[in-house]
């Protein structure tokens, strides 16, 4: 599939960060990065402000202001459900107006969607995201499946927020005498000592209470996850058990979606890993791969990083422009909102109806 022609606004984000770019004829012309713009992580107002700031940074790179942008493609963790995808599409439109980019058709889907298209829409692939939250999806020809991604109150087991809260609770249990001693108590004290934290001599329970409840987003709480990973590698038995439990949750997600997509024992498939806990934390990645090697061995494995966002989102734009059949399958498996496909010299007729959406 050739790179989409014209200018496109591309967005990718999760529970901790957001990346935005303007592409022209398949090449990046401008890019900006900021904190989370997921309304369920930071609130609707800060999410809109963050999007507006990122998009305003792209505006000077637009070749012909006021109408040359063909479309906005957003692969974002805010698309937890079909309703959430539709709401985020409205937020993106508003942010485009605030940034002076005018009106353009919008495609919003979950941030895991582009990972399923890396080897083409017919390839057997399983994608795992473990950052602040978690997400799992698999594609196998005509069969696609998704699991988790319903935010921290309903899921996200094995992700950064879940691991951080488990670690902080273990520290509290150790202080109370309800649990074993652990180096996580010292790690929790260090975490509380961030700028603006409680005074150094405050009891740990009070310090943690103040720090956790003063946090403005789940991403700030999830910042404790690296401490858990570090001490798991350092030999702390409590931290190691928590990381093992996280790996087990991630393995369960992979098994659920591969089986639902018809990827059984012996079926060759590619494994794509994304999110900071899997791309930057070898301890958790190694534990997950060890489990999958025994339960669902892959043919290839690769890590998706921020440097892959441009190509991945342009592939998604190409599907929107040229492959309504693939887009319909995507919307049937993942939360998706899509406006009428952008028109251009290479666009085909068809596509989902304007304002159409789908999702598990």
């Amino acid at each position: 599939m050739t790179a989409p022609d014209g200018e496109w606004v591309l967005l990718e984000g999760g529970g901790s960060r957001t990346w935005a770019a303007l592409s022209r004829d398949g090449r990046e012309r401008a890019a900006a990065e900021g904190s989370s713009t997921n309304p369920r992580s930071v609130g609707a107002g800060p999410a809109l402000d963050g999007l507006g700031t990122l998009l305003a940074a792209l505006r000077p790179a637009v070749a012909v202001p006021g109408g040359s942008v063909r479309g906005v493609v957003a692969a974002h963790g805010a698309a937890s459900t079909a309703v959430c995808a539709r709401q985020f599409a409205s937020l993106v439109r508003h942010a485009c107006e605030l940034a002076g980019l005018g009106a353009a058709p919008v495609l919003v889907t979950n941030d895991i969607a582009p990972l399923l298209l890396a080897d083409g829409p017919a390839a057997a692939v399983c994608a795992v995201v473990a950052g602040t939250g978690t997400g799992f999806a698999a594609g196998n020809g005509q069969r696609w499946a998704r699991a988790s991604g319903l935010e921290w109150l309903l899921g996200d087991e094995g992700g950064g927020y879940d691991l951080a809260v488990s670690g902080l609770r273990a520290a509290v249990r150790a202080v109370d005498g309800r649990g074993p001693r652990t180096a996580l108590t010292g790690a929790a004290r260090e975490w509380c000592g961030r700028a603006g934290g409680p005074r150094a001599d405050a009891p740990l329970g009070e310090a943690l209470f103040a720090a956790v409840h003063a946090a403005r987003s789940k991403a700030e709480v999830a910042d404790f996850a690296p401490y858990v990973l570090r001490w798991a590698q350092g030999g702390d038995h409590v931290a190691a058990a928590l990381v093992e439990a996280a790996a087990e949750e991630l393995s369960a997600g992979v098994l659920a979606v591969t089986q639902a997509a018809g990827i059984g024992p012996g079926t060759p498939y590619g494994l794509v890993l994304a999110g900071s806990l899997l791309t930057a934390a070898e301890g958790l990645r190694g534990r997950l791969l060890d489990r999958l090697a025994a339960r669902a061995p892959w043919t290839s494995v690769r890590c998706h990083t921020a440097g892959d966002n441009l190509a991945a989102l342009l592939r998604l734009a190409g599907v929107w422009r040229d492959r309504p059949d693939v887009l319909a399958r995507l919307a049937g498996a993942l939360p998706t909102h899509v406006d009428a496909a952008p028109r251009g010299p290479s666009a085909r007729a068809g596509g989902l109806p304007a304002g159409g959406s789908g999702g598990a």
Side-chain angles (χ1 to χ4, degrees):
M1 184 178 295
T2 59
D5 50 354
E7 291 187 319
W8 297 76
V9 171
L10 310 174
L11 290 167
E12 194 274 342
S16 299
R17 46 158 295 283
T18 308
W19 176 86
L22 179 83
S23 76
R24 185 180 307 135
D25 298 330
R27 295 188 177 185
E28 182 182 300
R29 297 301 179 182
E33 190 166 352
S35 58
S36 174
T37 52
N38 186 338
R40 283 155 191 82
S41 294
V42 299
L48 177 61
D49 292 343
L51 285 171
T53 299
L54 290 171
L55 295 177
L58 306 181
R59 185 179 55 196
V62 176
V64 182
S68 67
V69 175
R70 293 195 55 199
V72 181
V73 176
H76 204 289
S80 298
T81 67
V83 171
C84 291
R86 183 167 65 248
Q87 292 171 341
F88 192 71
S90 178
L91 201 69
V92 169
R93 290 192 199 93
H94 192 184
C96 285
E97 293 173 2
L98 292 176
L101 292 174
V106 175
L107 166 63
V108 170
T109 189
N110 192 262
D111 55 343
I112 204 168
L115 309 184
L116 296 178
L117 303 172
D119 294 330
V125 61
C126 176
V128 186
V129 177
T132 302
T134 62
F136 310 90
N140 182 25
Q142 299 294 314
R143 298 176 63 178
W144 290 19
R146 176 212 181 204
S148 194
L150 294 179
E151 297 291 347
W152 73 101
L153 291 177
L154 293 174
D156 281 348
E157 296 92 342
Y161 180 85
D162 179 58
L163 185 61
V165 170
S166 296
L168 292 170
R169 287 174 175 167
V172 171
R173 290 176 62 85
V175 170
D176 287 349
R178 293 180 292 125
R181 297 178 63 181
T182 170
L184 294 178
T185 54
R189 171 68 69 184
E190 181 182 343
W191 181 74
C192 287
R194 298 168 303 170
R199 68 183 193 275
D201 61 344
L204 182 57
E206 291 190 18
L208 281 174
F209 186 91
V212 167
H213 290 283
R216 292 168 295 175
S217 70
K218 66 177 182 179
E220 291 181 331
V221 177
D223 283 343
F224 188 67
Y227 290 88
V228 182
L229 292 167
R230 183 188 312 159
W231 279 108
Q233 291 290 90
D236 183 80
H237 295 298
V238 172
L242 295 178
V243 175
E244 289 289 349
E248 189 65 25
E249 291 287 356
L250 297 181
S251 175
V254 171
L255 294 175
V257 293
T258 52
Q259 291 171 7
I263 300 175
T267 303
Y269 76 97
L271 182 64
V272 184
L273 307 178
S276 59
L277 265 66
L278 292 177
T279 60
E282 295 185 6
L284 181 58
R285 181 172 70 239
R287 286 169 168 85
L288 172 61
L289 293 180
D290 286 345
R291 284 166 169 76
L292 295 182
R295 303 173 187 175
W298 61 90
T299 317
S300 63
V301 60
R302 64 181 177 278
C303 290
H304 176 96
T305 64
D308 302 316
N309 283 338
L310 180 70
L313 290 172
L314 287 175
R315 278 194 296 271
L316 186 55
V319 165
W320 185 15
R321 183 195 63 181
D322 293 339
R323 295 293 304 272
D325 58 321
V326 175
L327 188 58
R329 273 205 313 278
L330 178 71
L334 301 173
T336 301
H337 173 89
V338 55
D339 293 336
R343 293 300 175 193
S346 56
R348 300 178 186 175
L352 295 184
S357 64

